[in-house]
Amino acid sequence: FETILDQVVSMKTMTKLRLSGCRLNFRCADAVGELLITAPHLLDVDFSFNNFEALGAEPIARGLALNKTITSLNLRQNGFGPMGGQAFTTAMLPTPYGHPSLKQLNLVDNRIGANVMCLLSGRLQGTISDVYTSVAADEIIMPTFYKEGRFGETPMHTTDHSHDHNI
C-alpha cells in the first residue's frame, strides 16, 4: 500500500485519487495522513467505504489539517464513531477561520454523533456555508459539509440587472 502512495506522491499531475472500498484499515492511516501532507497536487480524494475506525481518524485528520490545497475529502463509512469524529474536530483547532481550501468533507455513515458534528461544523465555519445532515429516528448520522451550493447542485450565480433599462 505504501508503495502505491509513494507513486501517487511522485505523480504531480494527478489531482484525483479514488481508493474507495479497498479494505484499508487503521494500519494504513499513518500513510494516508502522510499522503495528505506530501501530495498537495491532490485536490479530490476518496477513501470512502474502508475501515479506518477511531484509531485511524487521528493521523488522517492531522494530514487534512496540514494540507492547504485539498478541496474534497470523502471519508464516508469508515467506522470513525464519536472518538474518530472528535479527532477531526481537534485537528481543525489550529485553523480558527476554517480550512483554507476544503469545500467538501464527507463523513456520512460514520456515526460521529450530533455533538461532534456540531463541534466540527463550528470549527469549519469560516469556509463552510452549509451543513447537511440526514436524520434517522432522532439520531443525526449523516454529516456532510459543503462550502458552496447545495447537495447535488452547482452554486447559484446572481445576474447583475443594474444595466437593464425599461423602455
Side-chain angles (χ1 to χ4, degrees):
F1 175 71
E2 290 182 10
T3 303
I4 294 170
L5 296 184
D6 289 341
Q7 290 176 356
V8 169
V9 170
S10 68
M11 299 173 74
K12 303 295 184 197
T13 59
M14 177 186 278
T15 60
K16 293 182 181 182
L17 177 63
R18 303 273 185 261
L19 291 174
S20 178
C22 292
R23 298 184 183 178
L24 304 176
N25 60 32
F26 65 90
R27 291 180 188 92
C28 302
D30 285 331
V32 169
E34 188 64 27
L35 175 72
L36 293 174
I37 297 168
T38 59
H41 56 279
L42 290 175
L43 305 178
D44 186 353
V45 179
D46 183 353
F47 283 108
S48 61
F49 299 99
N50 284 295
N51 196 29
F52 291 118
E53 300 177 324
L55 289 174
E58 187 175 332
I60 296 170
R62 190 176 340 106
L64 174 62
L66 295 173
N67 181 306
K68 304 302 179 209
T69 57
I70 192 167
T71 59
S72 178
L73 179 58
N74 186 351
L75 293 169
R76 180 179 186 163
Q77 197 169 342
N78 272 286
F80 291 135
M83 295 299 292
Q86 184 63 44
F88 285 94
T89 302
T90 302
M92 292 297 141
L93 287 175
T95 56
Y97 300 107
H99 193 279
S101 62
L102 191 65
K103 294 181 182 179
Q104 180 182 355
L105 173 59
N106 188 338
L107 293 171
V108 172
D109 298 330
N110 277 291
R111 302 215 180 255
I112 63 174
N115 290 339
V116 173
M117 187 215 49
C118 289
L119 288 171
L120 185 57
S121 64
R123 286 302 328 144
L124 297 173
Q125 185 177 8
T127 57
I128 304 303
S129 61
D130 294 308
V131 177
Y132 293 91
T133 58
S134 172
V135 178
D138 60 350
E139 179 185 11
I140 297 176
I141 61 169
M142 186 179 144
T144 302
F145 305 94
Y146 287 90
K147 181 176 180 181
E148 300 173 333
R150 301 231 179 261
F151 186 81
E153 295 180 0
T154 56
M156 294 179 60
H157 299 282
T158 58
T159 304
D160 182 7
H161 295 284
S162 61
H163 301 289
D164 292 351
H165 301 285
N166 290 331
I167 300 180

